[in-house]
């Protein structure tokens, strides 16, 4: 007796872009599933409601679908996924208005249109977030890039200031005091480079790349660049003075300990000797540096008065000449105010690093 051809139970659900069909047949192997002229054809040998038989059905879809169905076999059923040609919600599955008797909603996967839209939006948002993360890189990658960037910046600054420090030291031992008077012409180009590059340090603090407070970083940047570019850079008369040697030497001495400390921090290394020097050497050097800068400003006042550079006359009716030396005198006050702010900041850093030894109370 030939096997009877029967129709299996089929359950369906939809999303805006897909149709899901669940065919209740078990032990199915090599089913014939195809879509031609927008009609799904299914035929397979399997165990269904009428026992082990050949089951088949045909469904003409309500709207156009892509002719490449995807199916997955399990022990109990056949799951078929069909892609809609246009992403939209269908009012029913088949072209004929009357639902076939073997077809029923799949309530395990069923969603109404509003729920399906929410699911679609959630998937789209998840996809966009994934793309955004891929374009930005993983947090670990970003951290590695930031550390690499900071390491290279600190390395370049360390090499620049080390060159200045070694150059000035060697020249002093060879030429003695004579080396003081041509310091500017010997190392000014490298100092210009290092101090212009120091702008990056303040930007890093401002945008959160580093945890350094912006104000102390900005005060040091503006103060040094004012001395370098205005006091020394614009006045040839100042470039041959001995004070240039002391300003440059103190600056470079501070930085040859600071930048290596930051370099090692980027690779999570802590060299105790270097750490102690970084948090201690500023105690004598910052006041000495401030004093040297103040001397350079004081020595420049008569030079600016004599040349009249940067001086100006107020317009009518005041017609009063304002000398640049007036601003230099104000700058001298601000110089020591800046020293207080930076000194206070560095002192807090040192106290956080090493703490305060509390005396035991008996």
């Amino acid at each position: 007796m030939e096997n009877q051809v029967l129709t299996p139970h089929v359950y369906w659900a939809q999303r805006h872009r897909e149709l899901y069909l669940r065919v209740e047949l078990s032990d199915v192997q090599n089913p014939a599933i195809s879509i031609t002229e927008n009609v799904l054809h299914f035929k397979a040998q399997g165990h269904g409601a009428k026992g082990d038989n050949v089951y088949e059905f045909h469904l003409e879809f309500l709207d156009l679908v892509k002719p490449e169905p995807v199916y997955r076999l399990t022990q109990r059923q056949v799951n078929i996924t069909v892609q809609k040609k246009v992403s939209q919600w269908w009012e029913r599955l088949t072209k004929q208005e009357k639902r076939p008797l073997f077809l029923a909603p799949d309530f395990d996967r069923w969603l109404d249109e509003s729920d399906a839209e929410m699911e679609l939006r959630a998937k789209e948002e998840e996809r966009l977030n994934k793309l955004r993360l891929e374009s930005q890189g993983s947090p670990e990658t970003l951290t590695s890039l930031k550390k690499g960037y900071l390491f290279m910046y600190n390395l370049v600054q360390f090499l620049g200031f080390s060159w200045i420090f070694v150059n000035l030291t060697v020249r002093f031992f060879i030429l003695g005091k004579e080396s003081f008077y041509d310091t500017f012409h010997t190392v000014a180009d490298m100092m210009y480079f290092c101090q212009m590059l120091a702008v990056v340090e303040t930007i890093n603090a401002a945008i959160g790349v580093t945890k350094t407070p912006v104000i102390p970083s900005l005060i040091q940047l503006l103060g040094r660049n004012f001395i370098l570019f205005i006091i020394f850079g614009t006045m040839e008369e100042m470039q041959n003075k001995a004070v240039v040697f002391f300003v440059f030497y103190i600056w470079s001495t501070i930085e040859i300990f600071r930048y290596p400390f930051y370099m090692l921090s980027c690779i999570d290394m802590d060299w105790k000797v270097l750490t102690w020097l970084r948090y201690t050497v500023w105690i004598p050097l910052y006041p000495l540096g401030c004093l040297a800068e103040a001397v350079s400003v004081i020595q420049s006042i008569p030079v600016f008065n004599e040349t009249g550079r940067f001086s100006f006359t107020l317009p009518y009716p005041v017609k009063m000449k304002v000398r640049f030396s007036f601003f230099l005198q104000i700058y001298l006050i601000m110089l020591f105010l800046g020293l207080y702010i930076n000194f206070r900041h560095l002192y807090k850093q040192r106290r956080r690093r090493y703490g305060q030894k509390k005396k035991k109370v008996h």
Side-chain angles (χ1 to χ4, degrees):
M1 183 175 177
E2 295 182 0
N3 287 343
Q4 185 180 3
V5 177
L6 301 170
T7 303
H9 291 299
V10 180
Y11 300 90
W12 80 285
Q14 68 168 318
R15 299 294 184 268
H16 285 79
R17 297 171 180 169
E18 297 171 322
L19 300 167
Y20 304 116
L21 300 171
R22 174 164 56 87
V23 183
E24 289 293 302
L25 283 180
S26 60
D27 302 323
V28 174
Q29 294 182 352
N30 300 320
I33 303 174
S34 63
I35 295 177
T36 55
E37 297 181 355
N38 220 48
V39 177
L40 173 69
H41 305 280
F42 177 94
K43 186 174 183 180
Q45 176 82 32
H47 191 86
K50 298 295 183 180
D52 191 15
N53 276 299
V54 175
Y55 292 84
E56 65 177 285
F57 67 88
H58 308 279
L59 285 175
E60 184 176 5
F61 293 112
L62 175 65
D63 211 333
L64 295 177
V65 297
K66 296 181 181 179
E68 300 92 14
V70 177
Y71 69 89
R72 183 171 62 87
L73 300 176
T74 68
Q75 285 188 338
R76 295 184 177 184
Q77 61 199 27
V78 181
N79 295 309
I80 305 171
T81 302
V82 179
Q83 299 290 331
K84 299 177 181 179
K85 276 201 171 181
V86 179
S87 178
Q88 62 182 8
W89 195 256
W90 290 5
E91 61 182 15
R92 61 180 184 274
L93 178 65
T94 59
K95 190 170 184 179
Q96 66 182 61
E97 291 188 16
K98 187 177 179 181
R99 177 174 60 83
L101 295 176
F102 64 87
L103 185 66
D106 185 352
F107 290 109
D108 290 338
R109 303 194 71 167
W110 193 266
L111 291 177
D112 59 27
E113 185 175 2
S114 60
D115 291 336
E117 286 178 351
M118 290 177 63
E119 183 186 72
L120 185 64
R121 283 197 296 269
K123 286 183 177 179
E124 184 65 18
E125 186 175 344
E126 183 180 353
R127 185 183 70 85
L128 292 174
N129 287 336
K130 186 177 179 181
L131 289 173
R132 194 179 299 114
L133 286 173
E134 288 176 354
S135 64
Q136 293 176 349
S138 65
E140 294 80 8
T141 303
L142 291 175
T143 301
S144 298
L145 288 173
K146 185 176 82 168
K147 285 185 175 182
Y149 154 71
L150 291 174
F151 182 88
M152 290 306 300
Y153 167 78
N154 290 307
L155 175 61
V156 171
Q157 287 286 55
F158 169 65
L159 292 175
F161 280 107
S162 294
W163 185 89
I164 295 171
F165 178 81
V166 171
N167 192 299
L168 295 181
T169 302
V170 171
R171 284 174 54 80
F172 174 73
F173 279 110
I174 294 175
L175 302 175
K177 294 181 180 179
E178 294 298 322
S179 66
F180 293 172
Y181 305 104
D182 61 351
T183 295
F184 187 87
H185 301 95
T186 305
V187 299
D189 288 341
M190 182 60 72
M191 187 61 79
Y192 279 137
F193 171 78
C194 291
Q195 283 306 126
M196 286 190 290
L197 188 60
V199 173
V200 175
E201 203 164 330
T202 302
I203 294 173
N204 288 340
I207 64 178
V209 175
T210 60
K211 296 180 180 180
T212 306
V214 179
I215 298 301
S217 176
L218 185 63
I219 288 173
Q220 178 167 298
L221 174 71
L222 295 178
R224 285 189 179 182
N225 283 350
F226 179 81
I227 298 296
L228 178 62
F229 289 95
I230 303 298
I231 302 299
F232 296 154
T234 63
M235 304 299 293
E236 291 185 10
E237 296 87 344
M238 290 298 300
Q239 295 171 7
N240 296 320
K241 293 186 179 293
V243 71
V244 179
F245 172 88
F246 293 101
V247 170
F248 285 6
Y249 200 75
I250 292 171
W251 287 357
S252 60
T253 304
I254 292 170
E255 305 304 10
I256 62 173
F257 296 116
R258 189 167 71 97
Y259 285 116
F261 169 79
Y262 290 148
M263 284 168 54
L264 294 182
S265 297
C266 292
I267 55 176
D268 300 320
M269 287 183 63
D270 183 16
W271 184 21
K272 290 185 178 180
V273 174
L274 181 62
T275 302
W276 184 85
L277 287 170
R278 184 265 178 273
Y279 285 104
T280 306
V281 76
W282 60 267
I283 297 174
L285 291 181
Y286 263 67
L288 288 174
C290 183
L291 182 62
E293 291 173 28
V295 170
S296 67
V297 172
I298 292 169
Q299 289 184 353
S300 72
I301 289 176
V303 179
F304 279 105
N305 283 338
E306 184 179 343
T307 60
R309 182 165 294 180
F310 303 134
S311 298
F312 58 92
T313 303
L314 293 175
Y316 181 85
V318 180
K319 286 189 175 183
M320 182 177 70
K321 186 174 183 179
V322 179
R323 294 182 179 275
F324 186 63
S325 58
F326 170 74
F327 297 101
L328 292 179
Q329 292 167 20
I330 296 175
Y331 177 79
L332 282 172
I333 299 172
M334 295 174 62
L335 181 64
F336 287 98
L337 178 61
L339 172 66
Y340 168 75
I341 294 172
N342 274 352
F343 210 91
R344 187 166 175 266
H345 165 65
L346 291 169
Y347 174 73
K348 285 182 177 179
Q349 280 190 330
R350 192 178 196 282
R351 189 172 59 180
R352 279 198 301 268
R353 183 75 185 193
Y354 292 106
Q356 291 179 317
K357 294 182 179 179
K358 296 181 179 179
K359 295 181 179 180
K360 291 182 181 180
V361 179
H362 296 285

